[in-house]
Amino acid sequence: MAVEQTPAPAGAQSRIHNIGYRSYDGPRLGRAYARRSLYSQSLRGSYGLGRSAKSKVLPMLLFAVMCVPAAIMVAVTVATKAKELPVEYTNYAIIMQAVIGLYVASQAPQAVSRDLRFKTVPLYFSRPIETADYVRAKFAALASALFLITAMPLVVLYAGALLAKLDFTDQTKGFLQGLVSVALLSLLFAGIGLVISSVTPRRGFGIAAVIAVLTISYGAVSTLQAIADAQTMGDGQGGSGVAPWIGLFSPITLIDGVQTAFLGATSSYPGGVGPGTAEGVVFLLAVLGLIAGCYGLLLRRYRKVGL
């Protein structure tokens, strides 16, 4: 049976309700403040700070995994009164590259994929922040997070070396060379991780893609370098001229080549033969070009997302 509805009085239909909104009369903080806030929020998010306890487990665990071996090396150096550290500052990140790759794979999608999935990117691009501000903040935040996780073990090694009373000048020089190396690595890995993650809103796909790019490329390049080095040694030439150039095709071997050529590092390439100074210029240009290319790709990607 139909229910007869009583029409509202004519005056009630045009009534405006006051639901408590108030006008904002504070200072307008502008783009710089918004960019810094996004950077700070993204950097804290890379370690799960300000998020649930579950979100803190993996980044903090990986941070501990990076630092514990350095602490053990320091303890051994001090206990045995060794004359040098078991590992060079510049080689520590190369040895721990699997842990660094896993950290990038877990945090790069977290930085950008959630914004794509929940369609919050257009909200970021409303005034005052712009596309370039978003990209710079996210890029700088992930690179800073990576620098923290790669530089902290070097700080532990350096403090231990001074505690063991190793040569101050040598240790300081090696420590600074190591910091330059991990700074380049952080920028390169952050750029690659963000470019891959910005393609998909699904975090799982982003994680798998980043692991595949970093791990498979390193495995393939190392295998080819070993084959090239073995063939050259079999020819009786005593060294390989091809193996260093193959290192151009993997992010971690690129960093290895740069630090071998310019930072006095011992090469981790098969046979221990890394690029010389002339070849190192190509490696350095490749690293800088990749970092700039990743930044450009992110700008292009988010111009489309913003529309």
Side-chain angles (χ1 to χ4, degrees):
M1 183 178 69
V3 178
E4 183 178 355
Q5 296 183 352
T6 305
Q13 293 178 347
S14 58
R15 181 179 302 167
I16 298 176
H17 295 275
N18 181 1
I19 58 176
Y21 286 122
R22 294 182 299 177
S23 60
Y24 177 74
D25 55 0
R28 302 291 178 181
L29 299 175
R31 287 176 57 188
Y33 180 83
R35 190 167 52 241
R36 287 197 301 272
S37 299
L38 183 57
Y39 166 79
S40 174
Q41 182 263 341
S42 301
L43 177 57
R44 287 166 51 83
S46 296
Y47 286 96
L49 302 178
R51 301 169 58 200
S52 64
K54 182 181 177 182
S55 301
K56 297 179 177 64
V57 173
L58 183 58
M60 292 300 181
L61 179 62
L62 293 176
F63 189 87
V65 170
M66 283 293 293
C67 293
V68 167
I72 294 174
M73 291 177 190
V74 166
V76 171
T77 302
V78 173
T80 61
K81 298 182 180 179
K83 301 299 181 184
E84 59 183 11
L85 291 169
V87 64
E88 295 178 358
Y89 294 98
T90 46
N91 279 348
Y92 192 86
I94 304 297
I95 296 171
M96 303 296 287
Q97 55 88 21
V99 181
I100 299 170
L102 187 57
Y103 180 83
V104 177
S106 63
Q107 297 309 313
Q110 186 276 330
V112 294
S113 295
R114 288 167 57 90
D115 294 339
L116 295 172
R117 183 177 181 181
F118 296 110
K119 303 184 186 303
T120 54
V121 175
L123 298 179
Y124 283 115
F125 296 160
S126 60
R127 290 185 301 172
I129 201 169
E130 296 182 359
T131 304
D133 299 316
Y134 180 86
V135 171
R136 289 171 192 163
K138 292 290 183 179
F139 203 144
L142 186 57
S144 300
L146 270 169
F147 185 74
L148 283 176
I149 200 173
T150 53
M152 186 54 68
L154 304 187
V155 173
V156 174
L157 287 175
Y158 182 61
L162 297 183
L163 185 64
K165 298 181 179 178
L166 302 184
D167 185 79
F168 176 79
T169 304
D170 288 346
Q171 296 304 316
T172 303
K173 180 182 177 183
F175 175 61
L176 295 177
Q177 289 172 335
L179 288 182
V180 173
S181 174
V182 297
L184 276 177
L185 182 147
S186 301
L187 288 169
L188 179 61
F189 277 45
I192 293 172
L194 288 175
V195 166
I196 296 172
S197 302
S198 67
V199 175
T200 174
R202 294 184 178 274
R203 188 182 177 191
F205 289 164
I207 292 173
V210 173
I211 290 177
V213 168
L214 297 181
T215 304
I216 293 176
S217 64
Y218 178 67
V221 165
S222 298
T223 303
L224 290 174
Q225 284 180 320
I227 293 172
D229 186 68
Q231 288 181 341
T232 305
M233 292 296 289
D235 293 339
Q237 298 179 15
S240 175
V242 178
W245 291 111
I246 301 176
L248 285 168
F249 299 96
S250 163
I252 194 67
T253 52
L254 265 175
I255 297 298
D256 192 306
V258 171
Q259 65 181 19
T260 301
F262 298 110
L263 299 176
T266 301
S267 177
S268 300
Y269 289 1
V273 180
T277 303
E279 296 166 327
V281 172
V282 179
F283 276 68
L284 181 59
L285 290 176
V287 170
L288 297 178
L290 276 174
I291 294 171
C294 290
Y295 179 73
L297 287 174
L298 285 171
L299 283 178
R300 182 177 180 181
R301 165 64 175 154
Y302 280 98
R303 284 196 186 100
K304 294 181 179 179
V305 172
L307 293 174

